[in-house]
Amino acid sequence: MSKYNFRLQKLLDIRLDKEEESKRNFTEAQNEKLKVESKLQQLNENYEKYRNISGTESAVKRRITHIYLNAINYSINEACEELKLKEKTLQDKRYDLNEKRVERKTVEILKEKGEAAFLKEQNLIEQRNNDEFALYGFIRNHREGR
């Protein structure tokens, strides 16, 4: 019995490679987003830690704390903008990954259908051969019985 040879195997391999690359890009974008989220959380924690300025501190210390809070606030705003960009990038990578999966699955479905048709044809050939052998055996036995 011969083996099924899928003519588009190279295309399927290329699509698999592209999907794997897209998965890596998606994971990378997801990790970058998580880093930005972590940074933003850390900045918010620092802001909450130093935002209460008591009147018992010296004017210089209050002024330094105020400048530090302004810097943290500015950093928080920048991190929020960066997070929005990372989320958009992540969405783009997710869309690209889904697109690559659909492309790969399309070729895989073609392969599966071709393989199923091939197996069906092989089974029909085998069945015809078996029927022919049975017919020859029947004829031989029938002639010997006379």
Side-chain angles (χ1 to χ4, degrees):
M1 186 181 272
S2 60
K3 183 180 177 238
Y4 177 66
N5 184 19
F6 184 54
R7 294 183 298 154
L8 299 174
Q9 186 61 44
K10 286 186 179 183
L11 177 64
L12 180 59
D13 293 340
I14 290 170
R15 297 234 171 131
L16 280 169
D17 291 342
K18 285 185 177 181
E19 183 185 2
E20 288 302 316
E21 181 183 346
S22 185
K23 281 181 185 177
R24 283 190 301 273
N25 291 339
F26 176 75
T27 304
E28 194 176 294
Q30 200 171 26
N31 288 339
E32 288 177 13
K33 180 184 171 258
L34 290 174
K35 285 178 186 176
V36 172
E37 285 177 341
S38 174
K39 176 183 169 184
L40 183 61
Q41 182 180 0
Q42 184 67 32
L43 288 170
N44 280 329
E45 287 173 4
N46 283 343
Y47 185 81
E48 289 298 318
K49 183 177 177 181
Y50 293 105
R51 76 180 185 136
N52 293 329
I53 301 174
S54 63
T56 59
E57 299 170 345
S58 68
V60 173
K61 187 172 181 179
R62 281 188 298 211
R63 180 72 178 143
I64 291 172
T65 305
H66 181 68
I67 292 170
Y68 178 69
L69 287 174
N70 283 341
I72 289 179
N73 200 20
Y74 179 75
S75 296
I76 288 172
N77 290 338
E78 280 185 342
C80 285
E81 291 299 317
E82 187 178 358
L83 182 61
K84 287 177 187 175
L85 289 173
K86 297 295 181 185
E87 286 174 346
K88 183 177 181 341
T89 303
L90 186 64
Q91 285 300 108
D92 293 343
K93 301 288 183 185
R94 181 177 286 124
Y95 176 77
D96 184 53
L97 177 60
N98 287 336
E99 195 174 281
K100 299 286 192 244
R101 281 186 178 154
V102 168
E103 290 173 358
R104 175 193 49 88
K105 285 185 180 188
T106 301
V107 178
E108 276 186 350
I109 289 171
L110 288 174
K111 181 179 180 179
E112 290 169 2
K113 285 183 178 181
E115 194 170 13
F118 175 79
L119 289 175
K120 184 177 180 182
E121 181 66 29
Q122 291 297 314
N123 288 337
L124 285 173
I125 291 171
E126 187 177 339
Q127 185 64 43
R128 277 191 222 125
N129 289 338
N130 289 340
D131 290 346
E132 195 172 321
F133 291 141
L135 181 61
Y136 288 147
F138 175 76
I139 290 173
R140 188 179 59 226
N141 290 336
H142 188 60
R143 283 188 184 167
E144 290 174 0
R146 278 192 196 182

